[in-house]
Amino acid sequence: MWQSGQQSNDLEAPMWMVYLTIPLGSGLMCFRFLQVAWSFYRTGELPHHDMAGVEGVEADPVHPAPVTPSQVVRDERSPLGWILMLLPVLIVAICFAHAGHLITLPQGVRVAIVFALLLSLMLTGMPISIALGLTVLSFMFTLTDVRTESVALKLFTGIENFEIMAIPFFILAGNFLTHGGVARRMITFATSLVGHWYGGLALSGVVACALFAAISGSSPATVVAIGSVILPAMVAQGFPKRFGAGVITTSGSLGILIPPSIPMVLYAVSTNSSVGKLFIAGIVPGLALASLLGATTFYRAWRNDYPRMPKATFLERLDAFRKSIWGILLIVIVIGGIYSGLFTPTEAAAVSAVYAFIVAVFIYKDLRLRDVPRVLLSSANLSAMLLYIITNAVLFSFLMTYENVPQALAQWMIDQGLGWIGFLLLVNLLLLMAGNVMEPSSIILIMAPILFPVAIKLGIDPIHFGILMTVNMEVGLCHPPVGLNLYVASGIAKMGITELTVAVWPWLLTMLGFLVVVTYWPGLSLWLPRLLGM
């Protein structure tokens, strides 16, 4: 292979390099697990991660997020810590016993062991990308007879996808806009429209989140950009901090439903769906959820007689719109460009990144050129993390498909007489439970390839199913223990996670009610794409 001169089709990488990824990746991931084990042996601590920083955005560098229970140092070598460390070792030992023909595991047990290993590795504090990679390797070498060469090729061909290139560009555009003063101008424009209603500044936050969501593609970035400006202003105007934090935490979740949306791109990559059609399908549900969150905010503000602002004049509204027009134009460029066929979603992402750079640096001038490398590095860190998760998730779905897991699941549900209504109910429950232990990108990349074939076999529209999964991810962003929006908002509001969890409940209940509507009313998601002939 070294001397054959063969190359992979698209990347034109030497084939020896393709095959080298398996042993090299295996060694590095095993080293990472040994590093965690050695650290626990010496200190008694399992690693924790700053959830506010997962999305590559800075919540508040001056005032870090409050310490959460998961960040409290564990007792020296506690029994629970030993159990968490030894459990994945025990599961891997069972896998090797099967490989050595000491025991025989039925297919159902093998699949259950795979998910148990993934969960046990995550409980040790391992990053989801490493935990997923070690699970895939253990399954590949011990529980299946798939050829290593096939896995190595799938590692490359699985990420040779044009749509994947949209992810780093949308991340970069969102970071430029977060640091570039666009959010502040959007808040001013939103306040001029609805500031005179009950809870005017809070309603402005909902509107501003919806506008910023349409240009960022990331929920935590939306919480940072809007919350860091509007939360201090709300507290100064007399709003309870809990009320303001609840509004922004949940409204920020619109960042992944209103297009562009990074989770939608991940779903499209996982299921070979149309990114453009998903973007268009997310518009109506996104606006509907924004309206419901606004209605919840208005009702609570009216009931508690929260402050209102003077009504803006027509000239004040016109001036606010003029100042925010450069950010709003990006919505037209991305959505209009995709629908008109001027460019693909990936090209739209690249255009939005360049446009956001020009607006932030040369038009608004709120981002200095010397700060651009920091934004680029932040975007690169997040992009690398997501691409590594995608790579391992592609291998995971490949091995699951090789073992006929999705097909067997679909057949079992049909044999049980479980129609699309019962299936979607189970999907919602499964995704909401997964939201307790994983962040949205990982859930979509792991669950979508398994659930998607079942949905198709039951006659569920793939675009409707994608919007349903995205709304589930929105809910997961707003509840503990790994709700990213909660951690980001806690850093801005300087509130503990427990207090913030209580604060978001009124809006979270609204989101759960909306999830039921989206689940059983496909027309809400599919009306606009059908109207536009997509």
Side-chain angles (χ1 to χ4, degrees):
M1 187 59 67
W2 179 278
Q3 298 176 344
S4 66
Q6 294 181 13
Q7 295 179 328
S8 64
N9 293 330
D10 295 330
L11 295 179
E12 297 184 355
M15 291 305 296
W16 65 265
M17 187 180 296
V18 173
Y19 294 131
L20 185 63
T21 56
I22 296 298
L24 185 61
S26 302
L28 289 174
M29 285 186 281
C30 290
F31 175 77
R32 175 63 174 140
F33 178 76
L34 292 174
Q35 185 183 40
V36 171
W38 177 250
S39 175
F40 172 74
Y41 176 76
R42 293 190 60 189
T43 66
E45 281 188 77
L46 291 175
H48 57 261
H49 306 284
D50 177 15
M51 301 305 293
V54 170
E55 285 287 341
V57 293
E58 300 166 12
D60 191 343
V62 178
H63 302 94
V67 174
T68 64
S70 64
Q71 294 172 312
V72 176
V73 176
R74 296 169 176 80
D75 294 335
E76 283 273 327
R77 287 170 285 280
S78 65
L80 178 59
W82 280 112
I83 292 172
L84 292 178
M85 288 303 305
L86 293 176
L87 184 59
V89 176
L90 176 61
I91 295 175
V92 171
I94 294 174
C95 295
F96 275 101
H98 172 81
H101 305 291
L102 298 177
I103 59 175
T104 302
L105 300 175
Q107 184 187 29
V109 175
R110 295 203 305 268
V111 173
I113 282 180
V114 168
F115 284 99
L117 178 58
L118 176 61
L119 182 60
S120 65
L121 286 170
M122 289 168 52
L123 290 175
T124 65
M126 298 274 290
I128 180 64
S129 53
I130 303 293
L132 189 57
L134 285 173
T135 301
V136 167
L137 291 172
S138 300
F139 184 64
M140 180 180 67
F141 287 123
T142 62
L143 299 180
T144 183
D145 58 356
V146 62
R147 290 171 57 86
T148 305
E149 293 86 349
S150 301
V151 176
L153 285 173
K154 187 63 180 178
L155 182 68
F156 270 67
T157 58
I159 60 173
E160 289 179 335
N161 191 312
F162 188 62
E163 282 78 12
I164 289 180
M165 293 174 60
I167 295 172
F169 286 125
F170 277 132
I171 290 171
L172 182 59
N175 275 346
F176 276 134
L177 296 169
T178 300
H179 295 84
V182 176
R184 187 176 68 254
R185 291 169 175 85
M186 284 188 169
I187 290 172
T188 302
F189 175 56
T191 302
S192 70
L193 296 178
V194 297
H196 57 284
W197 295 359
Y198 280 102
L201 204 53
L203 285 175
S204 301
V206 177
V207 174
C209 282
L211 290 173
F212 195 83
I215 59 177
S216 72
S218 167
S219 286
T222 303
V223 174
V224 170
I226 304 301
S228 59
V229 176
I230 208 165
L231 272 177
M234 289 179 66
V235 173
Q237 202 177 86
F239 285 90
K241 185 185 290 187
R242 277 191 175 190
F243 179 78
V247 170
I248 299 303
T249 301
T250 49
S251 299
S253 66
L254 293 169
I256 64 171
L257 182 57
I258 297 178
S261 165
I262 294 172
M264 286 185 188
V265 176
L266 295 175
Y267 174 83
V269 169
S270 301
T271 61
N272 292 319
S273 300
S274 167
V275 177
K277 197 170 180 180
L278 279 166
F279 281 3
I280 298 300
I283 294 175
V284 173
L287 294 177
L289 180 57
S291 301
L292 290 173
L293 293 174
T296 304
T297 303
F298 176 83
Y299 172 75
R300 289 178 59 80
W302 168 76
R303 188 174 180 182
N304 294 284
D305 196 26
Y306 288 152
R308 305 165 66 176
M309 302 181 71
K311 186 174 182 178
T313 64
F314 174 77
L315 290 179
E316 288 173 334
R317 291 178 177 175
L318 188 63
D319 183 61
F321 176 74
R322 179 182 61 82
K323 291 178 179 178
S324 64
I325 186 63
W326 292 106
I328 296 174
L329 271 177
L330 186 56
I331 304 173
V332 180
I333 292 172
V334 173
I335 303 301
I338 293 173
Y339 172 64
S340 66
L342 188 61
F343 36 65
T344 66
T346 301
E347 293 165 344
V351 169
S352 67
V354 175
Y355 180 87
F357 168 75
I358 294 172
V359 170
V361 176
F362 298 110
I363 297 179
Y364 288 155
K365 299 180 180 179
D366 287 332
L367 183 67
R368 295 168 295 184
L369 277 173
R370 67 182 183 185
D371 293 327
V372 170
R374 177 171 59 87
V375 176
L376 292 174
L377 181 61
S378 173
S379 303
N381 285 338
L382 176 58
S383 299
M385 181 195 73
L386 284 178
L387 289 174
Y388 188 56
I389 294 176
I390 290 172
T391 301
N392 286 317
V394 164
L395 294 182
F396 186 80
S397 63
F398 170 68
L399 292 173
M400 289 292 102
T401 304
Y402 183 84
E403 290 291 317
N404 291 319
V405 172
Q407 296 86 339
L409 180 62
Q411 190 59 49
W412 179 83
M413 288 191 172
I414 292 173
D415 293 342
Q416 299 300 314
L418 191 67
W420 68 275
I421 295 177
F423 170 71
L424 291 182
L425 176 62
L426 287 179
V427 166
N428 282 335
L429 293 175
L430 178 63
L431 294 178
L432 291 175
M433 287 190 294
N436 287 311
V437 293
M438 289 188 286
E439 45 84 32
S441 300
S442 304
I443 296 174
I444 290 175
L445 290 168
I446 294 172
M447 296 294 185
I450 297 175
L451 298 174
F452 181 78
V454 185
I456 297 301
K457 200 161 188 176
L458 292 174
I460 298 169
D461 188 279
I463 301 302
H464 169 227
F465 193 66
I467 298 301
L468 179 151
M469 288 195 73
T470 304
V471 175
N472 270 284
M473 298 306 99
E474 284 190 296
V475 177
L477 285 167
C478 300
H479 68 72
V482 295
L484 298 182
N485 284 11
L486 283 178
Y487 283 86
V488 174
S490 72
I492 298 171
K494 305 174 187 62
M495 294 172 61
I497 295 298
T498 303
E499 184 182 8
L500 192 55
T501 301
V502 175
V504 303
W505 265 109
W507 294 271
L508 196 58
L509 289 174
T510 300
M511 294 173 72
L512 288 171
F514 178 73
L515 174 60
V516 175
V517 174
V518 167
T519 300
Y520 295 111
W521 184 18
L524 184 66
S525 306
L526 302 177
W527 172 77
L528 187 57
R530 288 171 178 169
L531 180 67
L532 299 177
M534 299 184 72

